[in-house]
Amino acid sequence: MNIYELTVEELYDKIQQKELKPSEVVGALFEDIDKIDETLGSFLFINKEDAMKEAGRLDELQAEGKMDGELFGIPMGIKDNIVTKDVLTTCASRMLEDFRPVYDATVMEKLNAESPVLMGKNNMDEFAMGGSNENSYFKIVRNPWDTDAVPGGSSGGSAAAVAAGLVPFSLGSDTGGSVRQPASFCGVVGMKPTYGRVSRYGLVAFASSLDQIGPITRNVRDNAKILNLISGSNNKDATSMPDVEADFLKNIDADLTGKKIALPDEYVDEGVDEEVREAVKKAAKVFEDLGATVERVSFSDIKYVVAAYYLIASSEASSNLARFDGIRFGHRAEGAETLEELYKKTRAEGFGEEVKRRILLGTFVLSAGHYDQYYIRAQKLRTIIEADMERILEDYDMIIGPTTTSAAYDIGEKIDDKLQMYKDDILTIPANLTGMPAISIPCGLNSKNRPIGLQITGKHFSEAELYNAAFKFEEKFNLHEELKEIQKELR
Amino acid sequence: MSEITSDVVKHVANLARIDLQDEQKTQEFTEELDEILNYAKQLEDVQLSDTEPMFHAVDLTNVMREDEAKTPLTQEEALSNSKSTEDGQFKVPKML
């Protein structure tokens, strides 16, 4: 038995049945991290000492038969923009290079109540801005399927670590696709929940009206299990929705007969790589074989979402990142003689280029004379996109399409064309602008043996239905065996 | 063309309190922002005069909680990540 292949549910069972000790699991995965993460770069901080200590404590509880907690002894990675008490949280930025939070994010409190073991913090694009993980201040991340390829971003470290079998699950955050796109590139499962489903308290804010935390796992059931544990209203986040408790595993195996699925023409037109299009069309057939109907619809306004998204997200970022001033936490420039000079030097030194670019864009968009022309227009476009998607979802239970316009590309391939990288987010952005839930699951491999992701989007708070569809699909098609081969080769 | 010039970028950088450090960097940001804002001009093609802006994805207003006293962070914790403190306070350079 290879410990790295085991899913959250399998590890849980083996620990509960005392076939494995928490320290054996954690120790084996740290050995793997030591061996292969120098190549992959999926962790920024490895929490070895504390994790081994915690695993030892759980071993004793296991021996006494006191194995409480849905994640008892299960290792986890956490994206480095989710604050972890006393554990470095850098957002992959020089600005927070030595930042040790004095409190836990709500998702961490919820997970920790189930007795998991924190293995470390996952690499990411700086402040979650990017789609290739090439914007990390510390190091790039490589795709476990092909180390010449990007893992996607911004939760690239989380997706790569899960795909490589270094942790069975990680949490990411998704503002314009940052959970789903890396999940797609790395051949794993990533969910962007409904806005308000998961508390954002303790998620370092990028664009507050779009950000959501979501799980990245190797299969659909594990993903549903983790979302069960982290969702729920929270009085520390006024945008978390009250009274939306749900069990995402309960009906995960339900029959799909009679389900109506929409496939927008624009999701499989010439803007999408041909191999991706073909994989999605095959996926549509799988759903038909499962008893659902799949029909083509039109979603023509999707061409505007990238522009609207970058105006809105950058505006919110420029405001949110104003807190990094060198005074209360984070980097502080040396030698500044006035307060204003301190701000300017600190921010010049602490932020990377992509972060500066977006702060400048957002500041411009919000500045006098441009607010109506750009910002308000973008927010109006958001209304139109939501109306469009709601119109489709009145007639259909869910919308399917590719997660990304292409499979993973090579490291360095797109780094000089910022606008093209922004445009690549076109398929994931609608769920953020509208707040709707969307999941990415593997649906194929391209000719370079790089994974292709299928995205399923649904109405607000329809995650249970999305997991149901994803699970039934996964029974017919998955990359589990291929992924095990990849994991074996890496070792 | 958008109205982005290097002077506009310098003005915006000042508003955002970011020292642009050199002319070449300023020029690069100018070109990139110009490209992005030109791309965003396509939003002008959409008829939006009768559309309300959507600032948020969920309709929640005035979320209230009980007004209960709770223990906040200690002063020591609150100051623990600062690079410069004195007598239990954040220390900054002169403001004027």
Side-chain angles (χ1 to χ4, degrees), chain A residues 228-257:
Chain A
N228 272 349
L229 298 175
I230 62 172
S231 58
S233 69
N234 175 225
N235 63 13
K236 288 172 176 167
D237 175 4
T239 64
S240 71
M241 289 293 274
D243 306 321
V244 286
E245 303 301 321
D247 181 349
F248 304 116
L249 281 167
K250 199 170 153 200
N251 293 317
I252 201 162
D253 195 23
D255 191 359
L256 294 185
T257 303

Side-chain angles (χ1 to χ4, degrees), chain A residues 23-36:
Chain A
S23 65
E24 287 176 77
V25 175
V26 168
L29 294 189
F30 275 128
E31 272 182 36
D32 291 345
I33 289 172
D34 285 344
K35 197 148 89 196
I36 68 176

Side-chain angles (χ1 to χ4, degrees), chain A residues 177-388:
Chain A
S178 281
V179 162
R180 291 161 285 155
Q181 184 256 27
S184 168
F185 280 10
C186 292
V188 293
V189 179
M191 170 67 102
K192 197 286 290 183
T194 308
Y195 186 86
R197 175 72 84 178
V198 178
S199 171
R200 292 180 296 108
Y201 181 73
L203 171 66
V204 177
F206 162 12
S208 306
S209 80
L210 307 167
D211 297 340
Q212 266 292 287
I213 294 169
I216 296 178
T217 57
R218 287 195 292 272
N219 71 24
V220 175
R221 282 190 61 95
D222 277 2
N223 207 285
K225 176 174 171 127
I226 301 302
L227 189 61
N228 272 349
L229 298 175
I230 62 172
S231 58
S233 69
N234 175 225
N235 63 13
K236 288 172 176 167
D237 175 4
T239 64
S240 71
M241 289 293 274
D243 306 321
V244 286
E245 303 301 321
D247 181 349
F248 304 116
L249 281 167
K250 199 170 153 200
N251 293 317
I252 201 162
D253 195 23
D255 191 359
L256 294 185
T257 303
K259 289 283 178 191
K260 292 184 71 184
I261 297 176
L263 172 57
D265 289 331
E266 294 77 7
Y267 281 19
V268 281
D269 70 11
E270 65 281 0
V272 176
D273 175 83
E274 197 182 338
E275 289 184 297
V276 174
R277 268 185 267 163
E278 291 312 311
V280 167
K281 286 177 190 167
K282 272 190 199 157
K285 289 218 173 63
V286 171
F287 281 114
E288 286 176 340
D289 292 344
L290 286 164
T293 55
V294 182
E295 286 174 7
R296 292 297 195 86
V297 297
S298 173
F299 180 20
S300 58
D301 288 333
I302 193 173
K303 59 180 175 284
Y304 300 113
V305 301
V306 173
Y309 170 80
Y310 277 92
L311 296 176
I312 294 166
S314 301
S315 299
E316 294 186 20
S318 75
S319 171
N320 272 325
L321 272 62
R323 73 192 61 180
F324 299 103
D325 56 7
I327 295 168
R328 292 154 299 157
F329 38 71
H331 179 70
R332 180 180 176 116
E334 301 280 342
E337 292 190 356
T338 65
L339 186 61
E340 189 169 323
E341 203 187 325
L342 177 70
Y343 292 153
K344 287 183 175 171
K345 283 184 74 171
T346 295
R347 292 163 66 78
E349 294 170 3
F351 291 138
E353 282 200 16
E354 182 62 26
V355 176
K356 286 179 190 168
R357 189 175 297 115
R358 296 200 198 189
I359 292 174
L360 294 175
L361 175 64
T363 307
F364 174 79
V365 167
L366 292 177
S367 65
H370 305 287
Y371 181 80
D372 288 332
Q373 185 189 357
Y374 292 106
Y375 183 71
I376 294 296
R377 203 177 279 274
Q379 298 286 28
K380 285 182 173 181
L381 203 277
R382 202 172 172 181
T383 306
I384 297 218
I385 295 296
E386 181 169 58
D388 251 7

Side-chain angles (χ1 to χ4, degrees), chain A residues 147-162:
Chain A
T147 52
D148 289 332
V150 299
S154 66
S155 310
S158 295
V162 170

Side-chain angles (χ1 to χ4, degrees), chain A residues 98-102 195 209 235 238-242 303-304 306-308 311 327-332 336-340 342-345 347-348 353 356-357 359-361 363-365 367 370-371 373-384 386 417-419 422-423 433-435 460, chain B residues 2-4 8-9 11-21 25 28-29 32-33 35-60 63-65 68 70 73 76-85 90-96:
Chain A
D98 56 4
F99 178 61
R100 283 182 198 279
V102 291
Y195 186 86
S209 80
N235 63 13
T239 64
S240 71
M241 289 293 274
K303 59 180 175 284
Y304 300 113
V306 173
L311 296 176
I327 295 168
R328 292 154 299 157
F329 38 71
H331 179 70
R332 180 180 176 116
E337 292 190 356
T338 65
L339 186 61
E340 189 169 323
L342 177 70
Y343 292 153
K344 287 183 175 171
K345 283 184 74 171
R347 292 163 66 78
E353 282 200 16
K356 286 179 190 168
R357 189 175 297 115
I359 292 174
L360 294 175
L361 175 64
T363 307
F364 174 79
V365 167
S367 65
H370 305 287
Y371 181 80
Q373 185 189 357
Y374 292 106
Y375 183 71
I376 294 296
R377 203 177 279 274
Q379 298 286 28
K380 285 182 173 181
L381 203 277
R382 202 172 172 181
T383 306
I384 297 218
E386 181 169 58
D417 192 349
K418 304 299 170 203
L419 188 57
Y422 290 0
K423 287 179 187 170
L433 289 179
T434 60
H460 291 107
Chain B
S2 73
E3 52 272 72
I4 289 280
V8 172
V9 170
H11 169 66
V12 169
N14 181 48
L15 291 176
R17 297 293 184 264
I18 294 174
D19 185 349
L20 289 176
Q21 291 167 311
K25 215 53 262 170
E28 280 172 29
F29 279 132
E32 287 160 355
L33 294 191
E35 192 187 5
I36 296 164
L37 287 166
N38 277 324
Y39 176 71
K41 291 257 172 192
Q42 60 171 298
L43 296 185
E44 291 171 12
D45 301 343
V46 195
Q47 175 54 254
L48 292 167
S49 50
D50 298 330
T51 306
E52 286 295 311
M54 171 179 162
F55 293 105
H56 232 268
V58 290
D59 290 324
L60 274 175
V63 178
M64 308 296 244
R65 59 165 172 75
E68 293 164 341
K70 286 188 181 148
L73 295 179
E76 196 183 328
E77 284 170 328
L79 293 168
S80 64
N81 273 293
S82 178
K83 299 284 186 300
S84 179
T85 61
F90 295 113
K91 191 179 175 189
V92 298
K94 66 180 179 197
M95 299 175 76
L96 291 171

